[in-house]
Amino acid sequence: MIRPILQVSAAVGALALIPVTTGAMASVDTSSYRELDAFMDVYTRVKAAYVEKVDDKTLIKGAIDGMLASLDPHSSYVDALAFDNLRLATDGNYGGLGLSVTMEDGAVKVITPTEDTPAWKAGIKAGDYITHLDGKLIYGGTLDEAITQMRGAPGTKITIRIVRPGRDKPFDVALTRETIVQKAVKWEVQDGIGILNINTFSATTADDMRAGIAAIEQQLGGKPKGYVIDLRGNGGGLLNQAIEVSDAFLTHGEIVSQRGREKSDIERWYAKADDLARGLPIVVLVDAGTASASEIVAGALQDHHRALVLGEKTFGKGSVQSLLQLGPRTALRITTARYYTPSGKSVQEGGIEPDLAVPQISDPDYKTRPVFREADLRRHLINETKVDNAVLEEDTKTDPRFAATPAELEKKGIKDFQLHYALKTIARTAAPPRMAGGGAAKAGKR
C-alpha cells in the first residue's frame, strides 16, 4: 500500500484531519456481530496457543492493517511512527534520500525518486526493489521501519541494495543523505518558452506557480512564446492546489468532480479566474509517474482543449483519500471518493492518454525499464467504465521520429527528449503565419 510518509503528495485528497463521530460511523447489523465473534475467537486462540507470547497491541494493529489492506492500496492506519513521518514530509524538509516507496509482498518498491536528490542522482529508477540497507535484509519488515532507516542526518552515508527487473544480479548503491527540500515549483526559460516544473502539490504550489509565471515574464521582458507544464514524476498532493493550478489556465467550465458512495454525493469545482497564460500555447508533459492531483490538472486542461498533453500514459490513480483523526498521533487514511475529469472520465486504472505519445528515448533503458501504475497494485479500485484499447494501441512499427539513440541525441545536445519535443511543438504552434507568394520567399532570403 502506498503510504504518505515519504511524500505527502502520494494523496489526492485534501489531507484534512476529520474527527470520527458516532454519527459518521456506519450502522452495525446483526451479521456484523457474528463476524466480530469470529474475530474474537481467533484473537483469543492466538493469544493462548501461539508459539511465543504476543501482546495485544501487536495483534490489534495487525488486525487493523489487514482490514484496511483488504480494501484498496491507499487506505491505511497511520500510527504514531507514520504520523511523525507524515508530519516530517508535510514540513517539506528532512534528512534522507528522496525516495517515494511502497510495500509490495513484503518488499520495498520504489515509486519514484525526487528530482535533484541523492536517489535521483544515483540513477535509482521507478520499479526498483530495495532489499538491504547497510547489508541488513529488510524484506518482511514494515514500510515505516524501512523509511526510518533510510532517513537520517544530512552527510551520513548508507548503502542500499537494488534488485532491478531486467538485470541478472542485484547491485549496491552508496548514498549520502541530504536535506530533502520539497520545492513545489521550479521554472526556467528555454528558447523564449517558459517551463514550469511542478514537482508536488503542497500548500504553496499554486502561489509558487504564479510567482514562476511572473518571473518568466520579467526575465523575458514580456510574454513567452508559450508554456511547458512539466508534471512528470509528480505523485500528486492536495486537491485544492490541483484545482487552483488548473483554474490559473482556464476561464470557465468544470475542473473536476468528486463522487462518493451514494449517487447524490457529488461535488464539482469550476474555473473562475482569468487565464494567466493569456491564451498562449501550453504543453503538459506527463509520464507513468504522473499521478492523482497531477492527473486532475492534465485531464482538466486536456478536456477543455487548453493544452496539448504530451509524453506517456499517466499512473491512473483516480481516488480521493481523507485523514480521519483517531487520537493525538494516530489517524485513519481511507478512500472516500473517486474523481472525474470535466468530460466525465474516470482516470482510475486507465490514466490520462497523451494527445501526443512521445517516449523518453534519451533514457538508455526506457525500453526495458519496468513501468509501475495503479493497475499493477493489488486490490486497486476497478474503473467501472474501463475500455480496453490494447488492440487499438498495438503497433509494432518504429516511429521514425523516435528512432534516434541516446548517444545520437547527446551529440546534438538533447538530454531530455520529451522536453525537447515539447519545446519544438510550442515553437511550431507559436510561429507567426507565413505569407504565401513571392513576399514570403523574399523575406526568407534576407
Side-chain angles (χ1 to χ4, degrees):
M1 51 189 172
I2 297 177
R3 299 288 293 278
I5 40 192
L6 281 190
Q7 290 184 319
V8 71
S9 59
V12 69
L15 297 174
L17 295 177
I18 306 170
V20 178
T21 60
T22 304
M25 297 177 67
S27 59
V28 180
D29 56 27
T30 305
S31 62
S32 298
Y33 286 115
R34 286 196 295 268
E35 298 299 330
L36 288 172
D37 285 341
F39 167 77
M40 288 304 301
D41 189 25
V42 173
Y43 170 80
T44 54
R45 288 176 183 269
V46 170
K47 286 277 291 183
Y50 187 66
V51 64
E52 296 178 352
K53 288 186 178 180
V54 57
D55 59 271
D56 293 339
K57 183 178 180 180
T58 299
L59 289 176
I60 295 300
K61 184 180 184 302
I64 294 173
D65 289 342
M67 174 172 58
L68 294 171
S70 70
L71 301 177
D72 67 76
H74 309 296
S75 296
S76 61
Y77 176 65
V78 183
D79 61 11
L81 177 58
F83 198 88
D84 290 341
N85 282 329
L86 176 59
R87 178 182 55 79
L88 285 172
T90 306
D91 290 343
N93 299 340
Y94 60 90
L97 306 177
L99 281 172
S100 179
V101 296
T102 185
M103 182 69 76
E104 182 179 282
D105 296 331
V108 175
K109 186 174 186 177
V110 175
I111 299 293
T112 185
T114 303
E115 188 176 352
D116 294 331
T117 62
W120 185 83
K121 295 172 186 174
I124 295 175
K125 307 282 188 179
D128 285 348
Y129 291 91
I130 301 173
T131 61
H132 293 72
L133 296 175
D134 283 334
K136 181 180 178 182
L137 181 68
I138 60 171
Y139 179 82
T142 69
L143 190 58
D144 289 321
E145 290 169 349
I147 290 170
T148 300
Q149 292 178 59
M150 285 188 279
R151 283 207 174 125
T156 58
K157 299 182 182 298
I158 186 172
T159 298
I160 65 176
R161 181 163 297 170
I162 299 292
V163 173
R164 178 171 295 170
R167 291 189 59 160
D168 295 335
K169 297 180 180 180
F171 58 96
D172 290 340
V173 180
L175 300 170
T176 301
R177 297 181 180 92
E178 295 178 3
T179 299
I180 307 301
V181 179
Q182 291 283 3
K183 191 172 183 180
V185 180
K186 297 191 296 184
W187 65 270
E188 62 176 310
V189 176
Q190 288 190 33
D191 303 328
I193 298 169
I195 301 171
L196 296 164
N197 187 347
I198 302 178
N199 296 305
T200 184
F201 287 90
S202 62
T204 64
T205 296
D207 289 339
D208 292 346
M209 186 200 67
R210 284 188 281 263
I213 292 175
I216 288 170
E217 293 186 354
Q218 182 178 8
Q219 178 173 321
L220 291 171
K223 296 190 298 182
K225 298 176 184 177
Y227 289 96
V228 173
I229 302 175
D230 192 346
L231 297 176
R232 292 175 298 175
N234 185 329
L238 300 178
L239 175 62
N240 67 325
Q241 293 297 300
I243 292 169
E244 279 196 53
V245 168
S246 302
D247 194 6
F249 301 104
L250 297 172
T251 58
H252 65 281
E254 183 177 305
I255 294 173
V256 67
S257 63
Q258 176 178 304
R259 309 179 192 182
R261 179 193 296 181
E262 305 299 333
K263 291 184 178 180
S264 59
D265 186 10
I266 301 177
E267 290 186 77
R268 300 180 187 274
W269 288 268
Y270 295 90
K272 55 183 180 297
D274 293 332
D275 178 5
L276 293 183
R278 290 172 284 186
L280 292 171
I282 297 173
V283 169
V284 177
L285 279 177
V286 299
D287 64 8
T290 303
S292 64
S294 301
E295 292 171 293
I296 287 178
V297 176
L301 298 185
Q302 183 183 59
D303 281 2
H304 284 288
H305 306 288
R306 180 62 189 92
L308 191 70
V309 178
L310 185 151
E312 302 164 82
K313 186 170 71 170
T314 62
F315 186 79
K317 181 179 179 293
S319 60
V320 181
Q321 283 71 46
S322 298
L323 277 183
L324 310 178
Q325 187 150 9
L326 303 174
R329 293 174 62 213
T330 58
L332 176 64
R333 173 183 162 95
I334 191 168
T335 301
T336 53
R338 303 170 189 252
Y339 71 79
Y340 295 79
T341 69
S343 64
K345 175 188 175 183
S346 169
V347 303
Q348 180 65 23
E349 289 191 282
I352 300 290
E353 293 282 355
D355 301 303
L356 282 177
V358 178
Q360 185 64 313
I361 60 174
S362 52
D363 186 349
D365 63 349
Y366 87 96
K367 287 184 177 180
T368 58
R369 188 178 69 251
V371 177
F372 178 59
R373 291 189 172 95
E374 174 80 5
D376 298 314
L377 298 176
R378 290 189 174 185
R379 300 187 180 89
H380 62 269
L381 295 179
I382 301 301
N383 187 343
E384 297 171 351
T385 58
K386 182 178 179 181
V387 178
D388 186 4
N389 292 323
V391 177
L392 298 177
E393 294 170 353
E394 185 178 357
D395 188 357
T396 58
K397 295 182 180 179
T398 301
D399 191 319
R401 296 173 299 172
F402 311 135
T405 66
E408 291 170 342
L409 292 173
E410 190 171 359
K411 287 181 180 179
K412 297 178 181 180
I414 301 172
K415 296 182 178 180
D416 185 338
F417 181 76
Q418 289 175 327
L419 177 59
H420 168 79
Y421 203 96
L423 294 172
K424 293 299 182 184
T425 300
I426 288 182
R428 289 192 295 269
T429 305
R434 294 184 178 182
M435 298 293 293
K442 290 179 182 179
K445 292 179 181 179
R446 294 178 181 175

